[in-house]
Amino acid sequence: MRLFVALFALCVVVSCGSKSYIDMQPVDAYDWQRAVSVIYENSDTTALRNIAIALRYNDSFKSDTLTVKVQTSLPDAHQFSENVVLHFDRSYKATALTASESVGYRQSCQLSERGSYIFTITPCRGVSGVEAVGIEISE
């Protein structure tokens, strides 16, 4: 009986947690210049989501802002792109070798089509110290 109660409690905790998706791709940490693409498979066309650009960087990344071009390809082949200025907290301690941050890009978005959304992120200039970049999507 105790096992059943414990399993039920675990299921409730897991099912009540917010859903989050993150996918990061490695980049050239010495000179990131190339586009990075992340594919998100969408099946829920009604949920509102927050989308953030996620970066992992080391102490060679000295800037507190970074401008990137974000191109979004929708399942129906429509595309749009825009330049986005990312602002970083940079509050990690000097002893940390790397830090990760997610910087808000879109709030309360509805991905209204089922299928593959492709997010392509390209820095507007060469960047040193960024090790990985990607997308974080949360409800």
Side-chain angles (χ1 to χ4, degrees), residues 15-22 40-52 106-111 136-139:
S15 67
C16 291
S18 67
K19 296 178 185 176
S20 184
Y21 168 87
I22 187 165
Y40 177 72
E41 293 296 332
N42 185 46
S43 60
D44 185 346
T45 60
T46 61
L48 295 178
R49 296 181 176 86
N50 297 323
I51 303 174
R106 291 279 178 229
Q107 300 278 46
S108 300
C109 294
Q110 183 179 19
L111 304 177
E136 179 179 5
I137 299 176
S138 58
E139 290 184 16

Side-chain angles (χ1 to χ4, degrees), residues 54-73:
L55 264 78
R56 184 176 61 240
Y57 53 87
N58 59 39
D59 61 353
S60 295
F61 180 63
K62 303 292 186 196
S63 184
D64 60 355
T65 62
L66 175 63
T67 303
V68 296
K69 176 182 175 185
V70 179
Q71 179 175 332
T72 306
S73 301

Side-chain angles (χ1 to χ4, degrees), residues 3 34 47 54 90 112 116:
L3 179 61
R34 294 189 168 181
R90 303 303 307 258
S112 59
S116 300

